[in-house]
């Protein structure tokens, strides 16, 4: 049952079944490749995410080490002069923060400052007014530069309403009356300590100062920037605590984090694990940031005594005498805030003698972010596949990438991709957020292998599909040709056998008159010859298919071949009603060919038989066989008829096995489609070649052979 179904399969059905088979193999293979590649993508994401975590940890530790150094600085370091060593030795020297130009491991540091309880600004860059700068090695030009830097610090703080400016000094007296008096808030405990040991009472006092500063500003119609004393620094801390995700404005703000529209499908799958790892670190960082107490020694100018009613003469060249004072202070950890001007301010609160001081530093935002972040980021492979985005309280500040370089001007529309990792730094930089956005996630070495495997698999499937299709089409064509061949052979055998049997019975029974017997005998002979040629071709085809051709070459002259084929085909052409013309040039007849005479004769007989079949209705019934010699030692045999010729699109097909130019149901000529195929194969076996050329009218066949180690062309 299966074989008839297979034999009945046509080309369209074969194509459809092969396509179904191809998709049956391709879809599972594609799914496997996709799953493998997707797994590699997740592994690559996890690998780079670990790198991002490690990088964020290094950046955090780097900033923590920088701020730890600043945390260890004493209160007196923010003055121009400090006591070195034992206070009893009274050895006074310049503070480490008074060096110029300002040198600090903190990238982008502009300078240090201090604001006292009255909101008065000073910096360790400049000595007190009672001191002479030249006495401490400061030249005039350097002093000018120091003052310029101090003015810049004051201007930045004043622009951000952190210190009093000149336009506010006229209102200072009014604000002082509105401020809280020292008696209203307890500044010391029962032990008489210079500072309260209760942290809670100190926080109450800070809030009271802030509230009174705001009240005073409102009562006198003064805006927020004219807050009394240090109330503005308190409001900076309160704003961060109350509105940690407030949208800021300014030239340094590039948008909001939520505007990035980052794809968090990768990161969300591992978010619980990330929170579990980062939570202990944050708690540990907060636990270490507690106020500390210290005892300090500070040199202070001693005012000169004067007699009543007299004026003290100004001391220009001689510095005022200094007195050494020992005191205790309580120092809070540093806090960080981003100013409207785009600068970063790091500040701390210090309590000394029941008064609060603000000490800190101003930092350039761009240099501070790129100094440690960008350097560390570009040293890793993350720079090749992601961007490092920094944000402050949800507001975008900058973005770094290997392709775009330092992109402080990047907008949210340029920052697209998948979220790789997101975290915050520890205090005091806990408002700074690091966001790693994937721009291109490399699959790694395994991805290239999978890609090549996918390509090779696709090529193999395509090549296999094409090969199987071509093989199937060839088998279908072969089955069709075999069926046509069987049909043609049956027809070719049945017709002459029927005629031979009929005429033989008539002759045996004596039903034929004497003058018709010769004609009947000749008909029986011709049909027998045709059957003999057909059977010889079929047997020859069977031998070629089974064992191949066994060619026996021997030297034969072209003249002998012309005589041989003349005797073989003369009766065939005469009985068919064709005129046969044989012509051999003198130089051709003497040529010797290495050839198998039997195969050569079979070639010529098949060509003549083909000419008789296809030119039976031609106006001129003639067959010309000519032998010519060419200059390149080739011998040309020409077999020409005067029939309709051969269509151009069939020139190369006529030598294929079982091919017929006519349909089996409508064809008018006899034949099996193996005659010209045998001509081509026999010629090739004898190291020759065959060709066909259309003439006007008719067609001409040409064949080439090897003779005496020289190629001899035979055109038929």
């Amino acid at each position: 049952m299966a074989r008839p179904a297979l034999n009945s399969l046509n080309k369209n059905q074969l194509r459809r079944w092969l396509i179904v088979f191809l998709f049956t193999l391709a879809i599972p293979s594609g799914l496997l490749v996709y799953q493998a590649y997707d797994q590699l993508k997740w592994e690559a994401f996890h690998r780079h995410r670990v790198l991002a975590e490690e990088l964020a940890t290094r950046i955090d530790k780097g900033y923590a080490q920088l701020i730890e150094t600043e945390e260890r600085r004493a209160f007196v370091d923010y003055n121009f002069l400090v006591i070195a060593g034992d206070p009893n030795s009274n050895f006074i020297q310049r503070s480490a923060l008074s060096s110029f130009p300002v040198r600090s491991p903190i990238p982008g540091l502009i300078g240090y400052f201090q604001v006292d309880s009255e909101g008065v600004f000073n910096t360790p860059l400049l000595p007190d007014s009672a001191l002479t700068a030249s006495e401490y090695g400061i030249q005039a030009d350097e002093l000018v530069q120091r003052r310029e830097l101090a003015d810049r610090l004051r201007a930045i703080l004043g622009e951000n309403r952190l210190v009093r400016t000149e336009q506010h000094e006229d209102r200072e007296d009014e604000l002082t009356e509105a401020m809280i008096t020292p008696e209203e808030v307890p500044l010391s405990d029962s032990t008489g300590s210079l500072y309260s040991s209760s942290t809670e009472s100190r926080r109450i006092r800070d809030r009271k100062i802030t509230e009174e500063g705001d009240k005073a500003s409102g009562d006198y119609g003064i805006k927020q920037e004219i807050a009394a004393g240090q109330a503005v620094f308190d409001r900076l801390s309160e704003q961060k605590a109350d509105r940690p995700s407030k949208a800021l404005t300014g030239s340094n703000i590039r948008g909001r984090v939520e505007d990035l529209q980052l794809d968090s499908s990768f990161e969300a799958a591992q978010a619980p694990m990330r929170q579990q790892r980062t939570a202990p670190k944050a708690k540990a960082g907060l636990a270490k940031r507690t106020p500390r107490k210290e005892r300090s020694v500070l040199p202070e100018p001693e005012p000169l005594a004067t007699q009543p009613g007299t004026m003290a003469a100004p001391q220009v060249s001689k510095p005022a005498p200094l007195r050494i004072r020992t005191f205790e202070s309580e120092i809070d950890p540093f806090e960080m805030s981003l100013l409207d001007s785009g600068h970063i301010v790091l500040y701390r609160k210090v309590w000394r003698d029941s008064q609060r001081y603000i000490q800190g530093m101003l930092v350039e935002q761009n240099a501070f972010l790129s100094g440690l972040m960008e350097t560390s980021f570009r040293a890793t492979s993350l720079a090749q596949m992601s961007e490092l985005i920094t944000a402050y309280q949800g507001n975008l500040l900058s973005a770094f990438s290997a392709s775009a370089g330092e992109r402080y001007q990047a907008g949210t529309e340029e920052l697209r991709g998948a979220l790789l990792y997101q975290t915050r730094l520890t205090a005091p930089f806990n408002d700074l957020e690091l966001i790693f956005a994937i721009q291109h996630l490399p699959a790694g070495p395994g991805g290239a292998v999978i890609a090549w495997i996918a390509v090779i698999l696709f090529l193999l499937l395509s090549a296999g599909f094409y090969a199987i299709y071509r093989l199937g089409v060839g088998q279908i064509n072969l089955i069709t040709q075999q069926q046509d061949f069987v049909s043609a052979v049956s027809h070719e055998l049945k017709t002459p056998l029927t005629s031979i049997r009929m005429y033989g019975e008539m002759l045996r029974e004596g039903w034929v008159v004497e003058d018709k017997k010769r004609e009947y005998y000749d008909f029986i002979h011709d049909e027998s010859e045709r059957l003999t040629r057909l059977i010889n071709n079929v047997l020859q085809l069977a031998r070629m298919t089974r064992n191949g051709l066994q060619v026996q070459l021997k030297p034969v002259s072209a003249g002998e071949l012309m005589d041989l084929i003349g005797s073989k085909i003369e009766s065939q052409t005469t009985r068919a009603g064709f005129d046969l013309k044989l012509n051999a040039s003198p130089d051709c007849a003497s040529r010797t060919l290495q050839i198998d005479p039997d195969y050569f004769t079979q070639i010529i007989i098949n060509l003549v038989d083909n000419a008789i079949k296809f030119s039976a209705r031609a106006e001129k019934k003639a067959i010309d066989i000519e032998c010519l010699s060419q200059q390149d030692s080739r011998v040309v045999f020409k077999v020409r008829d005067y029939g309709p010729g051969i269509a151009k699109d069939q020139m190369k097909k006529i030598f294929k096995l079982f091919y017929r130019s006519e349909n089996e149901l409508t064809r008018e000529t006899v034949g099996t489609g193996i005659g010209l195929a045998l001509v081509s194969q026999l010629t090739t076996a004898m190291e020759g070649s065959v060709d066909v050329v259309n003439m006007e009218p008719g067609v001409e066949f040409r064949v080439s052979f090897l003779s005496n180690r020289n190629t001899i062309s035979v055109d038929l």
Side-chain angles (χ1 to χ4, degrees), residues 74-87:
F75 168 80
V76 297
D77 288 342
Y78 283 79
N79 291 271
F80 181 75
L81 295 179
V82 296
I83 297 295
D86 187 2

Side-chain angles (χ1 to χ4, degrees), residues 260-544:
L260 293 178
Q261 299 178 357
L262 297 177
D263 181 11
S264 59
S265 57
F266 287 105
E267 199 272 345
Q270 302 183 16
M273 187 184 305
R274 176 179 63 86
Q275 294 176 359
Q276 184 179 2
R277 286 194 296 264
T278 56
K281 181 184 69 174
K283 292 181 180 179
L286 291 176
K288 295 179 181 179
R289 295 183 54 77
T290 56
R292 65 182 176 88
K293 301 175 183 179
E294 69 175 16
R295 181 176 295 273
S296 304
V297 180
L298 180 67
E300 295 181 347
E302 182 85 28
L304 297 177
T306 57
Q307 296 294 330
T310 63
M311 296 183 60
Q315 300 293 328
V316 178
S317 60
K318 183 178 180 180
L322 300 176
R323 60 189 177 95
I324 306 303
R325 183 177 180 184
T326 302
F327 58 90
E328 290 184 341
S329 59
E330 182 176 354
I331 303 175
D332 284 353
F334 269 96
E335 299 181 44
M336 174 262 185
S337 183
L338 181 65
L339 304 179
D340 293 339
S341 61
H343 297 86
I344 293 176
V345 58
L346 291 166
Y347 62 94
R348 67 182 181 181
K349 301 170 186 177
V350 182
W351 289 89
R352 171 205 169 192
D353 291 342
S354 302
Q355 293 182 349
R356 193 180 68 175
Y357 293 79
I358 300 296
Q359 295 179 338
M361 64 200 82
L362 280 175
V363 183
E364 292 283 357
Q365 178 199 134
N366 293 356
F368 180 77
L369 296 178
S370 63
L372 184 59
M373 291 185 185
E374 183 180 13
T375 304
S376 303
F377 177 66
R378 296 193 187 283
T380 64
S381 60
L382 293 172
Q384 306 300 324
M385 49 74 65
S386 66
E387 286 187 322
L388 174 57
I389 304 170
T390 58
Y392 176 79
Q393 295 182 354
N395 300 279
L396 298 179
L397 298 182
S398 62
F400 306 102
S401 65
S403 58
E406 184 178 339
R407 297 206 302 159
Y408 287 103
Q409 303 299 324
T412 57
E413 68 279 356
E414 300 175 1
L415 303 177
R416 293 290 185 268
L419 179 60
L420 177 64
Y421 182 63
Q422 184 175 2
T423 187
R424 291 181 180 273
L425 301 181
T426 54
F429 305 106
N430 50 306
D431 287 324
L432 281 177
E433 193 172 7
L434 302 183
I435 303 172
F436 294 86
I438 300 173
Q439 299 301 316
H440 169 67
L441 183 61
V449 173
I450 291 180
W452 278 109
I453 290 176
V455 172
I456 294 174
L457 184 60
F458 173 77
L459 293 178
L460 288 177
L461 288 176
S462 301
F465 171 81
Y466 180 77
I468 294 176
Y469 176 74
R470 294 298 302 173
L471 179 61
V473 169
Q475 292 299 317
I476 290 175
N477 291 334
L478 181 60
I479 291 174
T480 303
Q481 292 173 351
Q482 289 176 346
Q483 292 174 349
D484 294 341
F485 171 73
V486 172
S487 176
V489 169
S490 300
H491 180 269
E492 292 292 327
L493 290 175
K494 184 177 181 179
T495 301
L497 285 176
T498 302
S499 301
I500 291 173
R501 180 178 180 181
M502 180 186 66
Y503 287 113
E505 290 180 353
M506 293 175 63
L507 290 172
R508 186 187 63 182
E509 298 295 335
W511 296 342
V512 182
V513 296
E514 291 296 331
D515 56 347
K516 288 288 185 178
K517 288 183 179 181
R518 181 65 181 179
E519 179 181 352
Y520 287 2
Y521 287 136
D522 291 339
F523 182 82
I524 292 173
H525 179 271
D526 293 339
E527 291 299 314
S528 300
E529 290 289 336
R530 187 157 71 91
L531 285 176
T532 300
R533 291 194 299 270
L534 175 61
I535 293 173
N536 289 337
N537 286 337
V538 172
L539 294 176
Q540 185 64 48
L541 177 63
R543 286 193 297 268
M544 291 169 54

Side-chain angles (χ1 to χ4, degrees), residues 144-170:
V144 172
Q145 296 177 6
R146 286 173 176 265
R147 286 175 177 171
E148 290 178 352
L149 180 56
D151 292 340
R152 181 187 175 193
L153 291 173
R154 176 190 289 270
I156 294 174
L157 293 174
E159 178 186 353
N160 293 276
R161 302 173 295 279
L162 296 179
V163 297
R164 296 177 308 180
T165 56
E166 294 180 358
Q167 59 267 32
H168 303 151
E169 291 179 355
D170 296 337

